[in-house]
Amino acid sequence: MKHVRRALSIIGLIVFCYIIIGQFVFPANAPDLGAQCEEMPRDNWFVVNEDGTRERIILPSTADSDIVLETTIPEDVGYDKDALWIRGKDMEVYVDNELRTKYEIDDYSILTDRSSDCFIMVSVYPQDAGKTLRINYSYNRGNVYTVFLGNRMGILKHLLGEYGAELFVGFAVLLLGGMSYFAALGYQIIYRKYLELRDLSFAVLLGGIWVIYNSVFRQIFARNVSVMSDTPFLVVLIMPFPLLVFFDSLQKRRHTKVISVVEVLGVINAVVCLTLFVTGVAEISKIFIIAGLYVIIAIVVMGYTMISDVVHRQIESYKYVAIGFGLFEMAVIIQIILYLSVTNGMFTGTVVAFGLLGFLIFAILHTIKELIIMSKETDDAKRSVKVKDEFLANMSHEIRTPLNGILGMNEMILRDTREPSTKKYAVNIKGAGNVLLTLINDILDLSKIEA
């Protein structure tokens, strides 16, 4: 059986290597499905002013008000390139003054009228070649994105190639965070013991929601893209709280004072940001910056508590978590740098998602280690009780045997003696012996109760 399993392992390894090497080393032979996607010329766009004058603009760019853009549809538009991919807020797309499509949100919700960046596909035809393409962006305070020309298969392939990793990692974080959360919650319900992993998993679960809801694919599985675009902001408001609770418990409440201050600051931050959000006093992009600053403060404070534990040599008890948190902090720093360097307005949270995933994996390793230690301690305790029980049982037997002999002989003395003094001594021996026998029985009963 041992040799059979070894052979099966070798066969499995060969199959796995064939699958991996075959895709990356062997020549490509998949049929071309006619996927087409390319950028419209970035420098051939013009802003149309209210007086009819035109100014050249290079996409991607930014705008602080409504804006009208015009360009010329390329000559090679035809059956292989039959769709335009346009991203923006409220939009109207015209081809030679013919309204081709419109995306508009008239009534967002009871909060305020707030539009969200969204993708629209605009059909184009061979006869559209050389015609004027005009896009009216309404309520467009933010980015003006690059426009792509191709077909739906090509545009989808381009999206998956550029941003598919974000969606994949986001779902991985969401899945692992959810599984860890419910596993920790189930453990708590069954064994009535709290695991710090529960709070961290909840924070990671929120992080997964943030990544997915921030994805460019959100409109595919969103019924209301405006609510979905608000969700990352709302998640950022609450995500630091379970992390702070996690660290406070993990560090045995050594830093409760400083963590409590950060929690109070977080409540104030949430109230202020939600008030601005609901009233519409400030744009959500600006409120998001305030919420993001609080997240950075919370991460810095958690890092400070870890450094303090390193100085006082108290980090050993959760060194795996410390490594994971260090990776998460690095991911946050890299993500901020990437965000500041983005030029096309297409921000993704892939790096943070990888950081959260690594953080959770190291926390799971820490939890597994703690559970193994707890299990070993439980086994040691059971073994100790068993050894004690065996000792007490043997001791009870060893003491009872001579004691019963003494009491038996003493009964013979009481029955046969006629001397008052001897009988008095024997009665005292009987009383003391019975007390000793009762004590031995009580010790054995106490051991059974503890077991």
Side-chain angles (χ1 to χ4, degrees), residues 5-21:
R5 291 179 178 176
R6 184 174 298 172
L8 289 174
S9 300
I10 294 174
I11 292 172
L13 180 62
I14 292 173
V15 171
F16 180 77
C17 291
Y18 171 76
I19 294 172
I20 300 300
I21 296 174

Side-chain angles (χ1 to χ4, degrees), residues 9 40 44 50 54 69 162 279 284 312 315 320 358 413:
S9 300
M40 294 273 285
N44 194 35
E50 293 183 0
R54 291 155 50 99
L69 297 184
E162 290 289 326
T279 59
I284 191 170
H312 295 91
I315 199 74
Y320 291 121
I413 294 174

Side-chain angles (χ1 to χ4, degrees), residues 85-88 91 103 116-121 159 167 212-226 228-229 346:
W85 167 40
I86 305 171
R87 187 183 191 193
M91 294 176 285
Y103 167 65
S116 169
D117 285 338
C118 197
F119 293 109
I120 62 171
M121 292 285 189
L159 279 174
L167 190 64
I212 293 173
Y213 278 36
N214 193 59
S215 168
V216 298
F217 297 97
R218 59 191 177 194
Q219 70 189 78
I220 297 176
F221 43 81
R223 181 175 177 272
N224 188 310
V225 292
S226 296
M228 187 168 251
S229 67
M346 303 290 286

Side-chain angles (χ1 to χ4, degrees), residues 121-138:
M121 292 285 189
V122 183
S123 297
V124 289
Y125 310 99
Q127 58 268 29
D128 292 330
K131 292 183 178 180
T132 299
L133 172 68
R134 187 172 80 251
I135 308 174
N136 296 346
Y137 291 97
S138 302

Side-chain angles (χ1 to χ4, degrees), residues 360-379:
L360 181 58
I361 290 173
F362 276 98
I364 291 174
L365 292 176
H366 167 78
T367 303
I368 292 173
K369 175 187 173 185
E370 292 295 309
L371 290 176
I372 291 174
I373 293 174
M374 288 168 54
S375 177
K376 185 176 182 301
E377 290 175 349
T378 301
D379 292 340

